[in-house]
Amino acid sequence: MAFKKIGMKMKLMLLMVVLVAVSNVWLGIRSVQISLKDLTAATNKTLLMSAEAVVQQVHEFCNAQFTLLEGVANISVFKDNSFSTKEKCDQLIPIMDLDPDKYENIAFYDLDGNTYKADGSTMNLKQSAYFQASSKGQKYLAPPALNPHTNTI
């Protein structure tokens, strides 16, 4: 009954306010949905680009390390059978000393998988996957693991 006593002008104004409020709420909800979808797509694209950049950096780093190791392997002392495995391992110490944080261990292995650790003790890694691969002339890259020489990851 009270609604009937309100004038036509007031009813139209009230209807207009309700329509504007409902349309604003609807537009707000729709804007959030669209923005969320676009933000998710942009975030995924940025993450993918970042991941690809990191993969490229790791790939370049690994290639640089393989190039270094291939260069070291071509040094004449390592091809000369008159040098013992121990003497060849000793030749690698200055390379490790260049960057001890990067090079924990670089070793020369004889054809039977024997090598010398920095402390002079011997080790045989003939059964290791990386020795098996390298003895076939293949490159070998493994995920981080416990280093048998230093007992660190």
Side-chain angles (χ1 to χ4, degrees):
M1 235 333 141
F3 189 69
K4 287 186 180 184
K5 290 184 180 178
I6 300 175
M8 182 60 86
K9 201 175 195 182
M10 191 61 137
K11 289 178 185 176
L12 286 175
M13 195 175 301
L14 186 60
L15 179 62
M16 184 61 105
V17 167
V18 169
L19 283 175
V20 168
V22 168
S23 65
N24 282 343
V25 168
W26 183 83
L27 286 173
I29 291 171
R30 189 68 185 129
S31 295
V32 167
Q33 289 172 337
I34 291 170
S35 296
L36 185 59
K37 180 181 174 185
D38 290 343
L39 180 61
T40 301
T43 301
N44 288 339
K45 184 177 179 180
T46 301
L47 287 173
L48 183 60
M49 288 172 49
S50 296
E52 288 173 351
V54 169
V55 166
Q56 182 64 29
Q57 289 174 349
V58 169
H59 181 73
E60 289 171 4
F61 175 80
C62 290
N63 279 341
Q65 298 310 305
F66 278 124
T67 300
L68 168 76
L69 292 173
E70 287 168 349
V72 168
N74 285 315
I75 295 173
S76 60
V77 71
F78 298 113
K79 293 182 175 188
D80 188 342
N81 290 334
S82 65
F83 290 95
S84 71
T85 301
K86 173 80 168 105
E87 291 170 316
K88 292 176 181 181
C89 286
D90 289 344
Q91 293 295 312
L92 296 170
I93 292 172
I95 295 170
M96 290 189 309
D97 290 342
L98 290 174
D99 191 349
D101 292 332
K102 187 187 291 184
Y103 304 115
E104 292 177 10
N105 182 47
I106 300 176
F108 181 86
Y109 298 85
D110 67 16
L111 295 175
D112 294 321
N114 298 310
T115 190
Y116 288 85
K117 298 192 317 186
D119 64 7
S121 62
T122 60
M123 179 179 256
N124 184 289
L125 293 166
K126 188 172 186 170
Q127 300 305 316
S128 69
Y130 66 86
F131 180 82
Q132 294 293 320
S134 63
S135 66
K136 296 174 187 169
Q138 301 169 344
K139 293 179 180 177
Y140 181 82
L141 187 63
L146 185 64
N147 182 327
H149 302 286
T150 62
N151 288 326
T152 60
I153 295 181

